[in-house]
Amino acid sequence: MWGGRFAAGPASIMREINASIPFDKRLWQQDIAGSKAHVAMLAQQGIVDGEDAQAITEGLNRIAAEYEADGVPVDLDLEDIHMVTESRLAQLIGPTAGRLHTARSRNDQVATDFRLWVRDAIDEVAAGLLGLQRALLARAEEHADAVMPGFTHLQSAQPVTLGHHLMAYYEMVRRDRSRFADARARADECPLGAAALAGTGFPIDRQATAEALGFARPTDNSLDSVSDRDFALDYLMAATQASLHLSRLAEEFIIWASQPFGFVKLPDAYSTGSSIMPQKRNPDAAELVRGHAGRIMGCMTALCVTMKGLPLAYSKDMQDDKPPVFEAHDLLGLSIAAMTGMIETVTFRTDRMRGLAESGFATATDLADWLVREGGIPFREAHHITGRAVAAAEAAGVPLDQLPIATLKDIDARIDDRVYAVLTVDASVASRTSHGGTAPAQVRARIAQAKKELDS
């Protein structure tokens, strides 16, 4: 491959450190597609003879069939997927194979292959996230009016509905899908034809290769074309955000499955037991999703650090761009599948949720709001009065709606029997009718809207 420039071959350690074929063999489909588009353009432009182009294309098709059947052979001497394929092509069709690399470099070749791969990866993730959204919608609709405690600081705050809680994660995933869509749009430019860094003197048609590979347009600067890895970073940053959301949902399930909470029973398919404690049902799938988020964030950081100090154009450091993206993609796919499965099959113990919502003075804000609304009391004063009512209920060992009216009147004479209409958890959630609120009517309206969004 090195031609006549070097008299001796590389040292064994150089051979090992320089080769990327152990991981970039994953790009073989994209590499074959890029080569076929390139040679078709060369023939169209009269740069390569038509018969030679046909022989190259047929050879590439045969190689693709071999890779599909037997995998890509790993030969460290050939360094990467590009040279492994070109070497095999030469074995099949002879010296004509050398014409394939006319007017291109491995620099623009790998940039094109990697963009194609990331674009396909985004499509896979988007499909997985769509499935998760549908699972969240289905369970949210099922439990649109199931009361549970809403938390701040992991302390009981105000009652909400389980449907509303699940829809919060729907909104997170909706934003995740939009980030991947934005990343895909920015990646939709084809570097092929930028060659090593400066373009080429051959009369190539970059628009033709871009269209053949399904890109919207060719890139506009040859230096940027071969040195840009923004598309990979965009993917990793979107993956990091998505994994963060999945980790938060996983953490909820871990907490809810614990005996002190008892909000959910995780299915056997997503739980494990203990080697010595037969009573244990461990939320291992959720814990692994939580753990994978850290690894995905690490992948994003790794590529950021690799790219941060590189001058234009290509440097060999960029060979390390693919492993973190491949790792993050695999982990993210597993995490999405695991959380979707758990959402679809988990048993929500809504009786337990309601019981805890009723026991934590979660309707205290409703009492304060009632004092403002019915008594014309400034909210800060109403807040103070409500605090005294909570202290009285706590001392008596009863929820707010079971405090005698006499006790409430001793706290503030402006309180009357009408207050009991707002002190139940059902009344509390039903009153939260503001846009985006937890009232079952609002939750069902958002679910209906979300279904239309997904169907469109």
Side-chain angles (χ1 to χ4, degrees), residues 188-192 206-207 210 215-220:
D188 203 18
E189 297 180 350
C190 182
L192 196 58
R206 293 193 61 208
Q207 186 66 42
F215 287 103
R217 66 193 70 83
T219 52
D220 290 327

Side-chain angles (χ1 to χ4, degrees), residues 140-165:
E141 187 170 33
E142 180 183 347
H143 297 291
D145 55 2
V147 175
M148 66 173 289
F151 298 96
T152 61
H153 308 279
L154 207 55
Q155 303 291 311
S156 183
Q158 291 178 290
V160 297
T161 66
L162 175 56
H164 192 56
H165 194 107

Side-chain angles (χ1 to χ4, degrees), residues 23-76:
F23 55 83
D24 70 19
K25 62 183 179 180
R26 192 161 174 168
L27 300 175
W28 74 262
Q29 290 175 307
Q30 291 77 21
D31 195 65
I32 295 287
S35 290
K36 288 169 68 174
H38 182 67
V39 76
M41 179 275 296
L42 293 177
Q44 175 186 311
Q45 296 298 107
I47 299 170
V48 169
D49 179 83
E51 289 186 8
D52 288 344
Q54 183 177 351
I56 290 170
T57 300
E58 290 174 355
L60 290 170
N61 288 337
R62 181 173 169 184
I63 293 169
E66 292 174 354
Y67 290 170
E68 185 71 45
D70 304 318
V72 179
V74 173
D75 185 340
L76 299 186

Side-chain angles (χ1 to χ4, degrees), residues 315-326:
S315 297
K316 196 68 171 183
D317 315 45
M318 293 167 68
Q319 181 168 287
D320 286 337
D321 56 357
K322 288 167 281 297
V325 178
F326 293 163

Side-chain angles (χ1 to χ4, degrees), residues 113-435:
D113 292 356
F114 199 17
R115 277 186 190 247
L116 287 169
W117 189 93
V118 168
R119 196 174 64 178
D120 291 343
I122 289 173
D123 292 342
E124 289 179 19
V125 171
L129 291 176
L130 178 62
L132 177 56
Q133 283 183 293
R134 293 196 186 281
L136 287 164
L137 279 180
R139 300 313 300 273
E141 187 170 33
E142 180 183 347
H143 297 291
D145 55 2
V147 175
M148 66 173 289
F151 298 96
T152 61
H153 308 279
L154 207 55
Q155 303 291 311
S156 183
Q158 291 178 290
V160 297
T161 66
L162 175 56
H164 192 56
H165 194 107
L166 293 173
M167 285 301 291
Y169 284 98
Y170 171 89
E171 300 296 346
M172 296 181 207
V173 179
R174 177 180 60 82
R175 294 193 296 273
D176 291 330
R177 284 186 65 207
S178 73
R179 272 183 281 270
F180 280 109
D182 290 344
R184 195 187 195 286
R186 280 190 293 275
D188 203 18
E189 297 180 350
C190 182
L192 196 58
L197 75 162
T200 179
F202 289 96
I204 62 173
D205 184 347
R206 293 193 61 208
Q207 186 66 42
T209 48
E211 290 177 0
L213 293 170
F215 287 103
R217 66 193 70 83
T219 52
D220 290 327
N221 183 285
S222 60
L223 285 166
D224 180 56
S225 299
V226 299
S227 63
D228 168 46
R229 292 299 183 270
D230 287 0
F231 62 91
L233 287 166
D234 277 350
Y235 176 87
L236 287 173
M237 290 177 183
T240 295
Q241 187 70 72
S243 71
L244 186 154
H245 291 151
L246 292 168
S247 182
R248 294 183 71 180
L249 179 56
E251 175 70 2
E252 301 257 34
F253 275 26
I254 293 163
I255 293 172
W256 290 359
S258 66
Q259 283 75 14
F261 274 77
F263 283 5
V264 300
K265 179 183 177 183
L266 292 177
D268 291 347
Y270 296 95
S271 305
T272 64
S274 165
S275 62
I276 65 169
M277 295 172 285
Q279 83 280 10
K280 294 293 293 298
R281 177 190 288 271
N282 298 324
D284 281 16
E287 290 173 351
L288 287 167
V289 169
R290 187 177 59 183
H292 287 171
R295 292 174 63 188
I296 292 169
M297 293 174 196
C299 291
M300 183 269 291
T301 302
L303 187 54
C304 284
V305 174
T306 295
M307 296 300 299
K308 73 175 182 64
L310 298 186
L312 295 178
Y314 181 84
S315 297
K316 196 68 171 183
D317 315 45
M318 293 167 68
Q319 181 168 287
D320 286 337
D321 56 357
K322 288 167 281 297
V325 178
F326 293 163
E327 180 182 0
H329 181 65
D330 292 344
L331 292 171
L332 183 59
L334 282 172
S335 296
I336 293 170
M339 290 313 305
T340 302
M342 278 185 271
I343 287 290
E344 290 173 338
T345 56
V346 68
T347 299
F348 291 107
R349 296 184 58 194
T350 54
D351 55 339
R352 174 72 174 167
M353 293 180 177
R354 171 178 279 274
L356 288 184
E358 292 175 336
S359 66
F361 310 113
T363 59
T365 305
D366 297 278
L367 173 56
D369 289 347
W370 185 89
L371 289 166
V372 171
R373 190 168 54 247
E374 301 297 333
I377 302 171
F379 182 80
R380 285 301 169 201
E381 183 182 352
H383 186 282
H384 181 74
I385 294 167
T386 301
R388 292 173 60 198
V390 169
E394 191 171 36
V398 297
L400 279 173
D401 63 344
Q402 292 182 25
L403 269 180
I405 189 62
T407 302
L408 290 170
K409 280 186 171 294
D410 284 345
I411 294 170
D412 193 284
R414 290 167 288 190
I415 301 177
D416 59 46
D417 288 340
R418 293 175 300 161
V419 75
Y420 291 110
V422 303
L423 292 183
T424 66
V425 292
D426 291 301
S428 177
V429 297
S431 71
R432 308 294 172 181
T433 56
S434 58
H435 181 80

